[in-house]
Amino acid sequence: MTQLITLDPQQPEPAAIALAATILRAGKLVAFPTETVYGLGANALDPLAVERIYKAKGRPASDPLIVHIADLDQLDMITIDLPAIVPLLARYFWPGPLTLVLRRSALIPASVSAGLDTVAVRIPRHPVAHALIEAAGLPIAAPSANRFARPSPTTAQHVYDDLAGRVDMILDGGPTTIGLESTVVDLSGDPPAVLRPGGLSVEALRRFIPNIHFTPRYTTPEKASPSPGTLLKHYSPDAELILVSGMRTAVLEYIRAEIVRRHTAGQRIGILAVDEDRAFFDGLPAQLLALGSEGNLAQVGTHLFARIRELDQAGVDCMFVRSLEQTGIGLAIWDRLVRAAEGRVVEV
Ligand code: TXA
Ligand code: MG
């Protein structure tokens, strides 16, 4: 049975938080909102609780989890050999959408980190997440609260759709604000490396870590992956997602022609479009969902996963997306779209 509790995202009711904390301390699962996406939480110090996360998600044991903490004292408990840059990064970016991969202390079970000698850590900003971790008095392991390889959940309803009956409690704190997962930075090697672009831009990180390294690694499932979140089949909709890249007008023309062709072939078609492009698709036999303005990529990021899920639910066979600028939060948007497209990017 999954208990669903709605609470005030800004000032969560203490009684609800206390109840959720009790469930976590008993080794069970609580899904909760963070500022990025909803997380599927369990006691990070309890191997049996951690095991439940993998089971509920259907996640391979080779994919490590992020540990969520409320303050820097907990960081000292769960890591060793902290690099000198950490206090500075923590001061500027925590709480917030930054995850640091650090050396793991013996307190954290190996299963949390898929056997690696590192642990990924972040301090979330969302008041519900923060209150819950504090009330539990524990570091909380929490991957995104979706079934493995599905788009990450940005509402409690998404969590429910994926995990009803598999999680003990869902805390509903409304839609998440960033809508894309945290930026994962590996500080355990040299140079520091971005393993996953996310809610914090690489440009912002570069101001503090000038030599930070980022190479997109869109590995296929067969190859062993240094950060399993880099698996290509990830965030996958049921429908085929077609990401089209190139000069705007050429891309729009291409998509329009493809819609006509596929419609003639009997397909049901969806479009994820920025406001600036909507008029271009008027009158075409396709269901269009708006992502927000291209001039406000943060807004596009907020809506992306929810719109992909909506089009899937509408039962389309394929969905078209035009690639946008890859700077700032745009890099994370591009990354999620490439994965959702399973690497098939059409260049026109
Ligand atoms: O915003 C977020 O990060 C959300 C919310 C719930 O905090 N969580 C999230 O978790 O996205 P998950 O499990 O879906 O993604 C964790 C990512 C994966 O790409 C994983 O491979 C990477 O972090 N990761 C975790 N531990 C790691 C480690 N020790 N070394 C390298 N990568 C690690
Ligand atoms: Mg995930």
Side-chain angles (χ1 to χ4, degrees), residues 105-323:
S105 85
L107 207 60
I108 296 290
S111 58
V112 167
S113 300
L116 300 168
D117 59 8
T118 53
V119 60
V121 191
R122 101 175 171 95
I123 303 184
R125 174 176 290 279
H126 198 292
V128 171
H130 197 267
L132 179 62
I133 299 162
E134 222 164 39
L138 294 166
I140 301 298
S144 50
N146 51 284
R147 289 274 203 127
F148 181 64
R150 298 256 303 141
S152 290
T154 57
T155 66
Q157 183 65 49
H158 296 158
V159 179
Y160 192 84
D161 291 344
D162 276 19
L163 297 175
R166 298 174 156 254
V167 41
D168 300 286
M169 177 178 278
I170 301 173
L171 296 178
D172 184 350
T176 63
T177 48
I178 297 177
L180 301 165
E181 305 87 337
S182 63
T183 302
V184 181
V185 175
D186 186 355
L187 293 180
S188 72
D190 196 32
V194 174
L195 300 181
R196 178 180 71 183
L200 178 67
S201 75
V202 175
E203 292 88 338
L205 281 163
R206 212 179 286 286
R207 290 208 296 274
F208 296 89
I209 317 175
N211 65 333
I212 196 164
H213 187 82
F214 174 62
T215 338
R217 282 179 296 209
Y218 301 113
T219 43
T220 53
E222 296 78 43
K223 286 191 214 141
S225 166
S227 181
T230 55
L231 276 182
L232 246 189
K233 185 169 172 57
H234 215 94
Y235 311 109
S236 299
D238 297 329
E240 178 190 4
L241 187 144
I242 303 149
L243 178 59
V244 190
S245 168
M247 297 287 288
R248 177 172 180 263
T249 318
V251 169
L252 293 175
E253 296 285 2
Y254 172 87
I255 294 176
R256 187 150 66 182
E258 270 299 289
I259 289 171
V260 172
R261 188 183 71 75
R262 286 175 182 252
H263 175 71
T264 311
Q267 286 196 18
R268 294 182 64 185
I269 301 145
I271 312 169
L272 296 170
V274 291
D275 297 339
E276 291 83 346
D277 290 353
R278 287 169 69 169
F280 196 88
F281 298 115
D282 273 354
L284 284 174
Q287 182 171 352
L288 184 146
L289 292 183
L291 290 170
S293 168
E294 185 170 13
N296 183 354
L297 288 183
Q299 190 185 33
V300 174
T302 302
H303 294 136
L304 185 66
F305 285 137
R307 296 293 178 267
I308 289 176
R309 281 182 180 252
E310 274 174 62
L311 273 185
D312 249 348
Q313 272 183 343
V316 300
D317 298 301
C318 60
M319 49 182 99
F320 286 95
V321 196
R322 174 168 76 84
S323 85

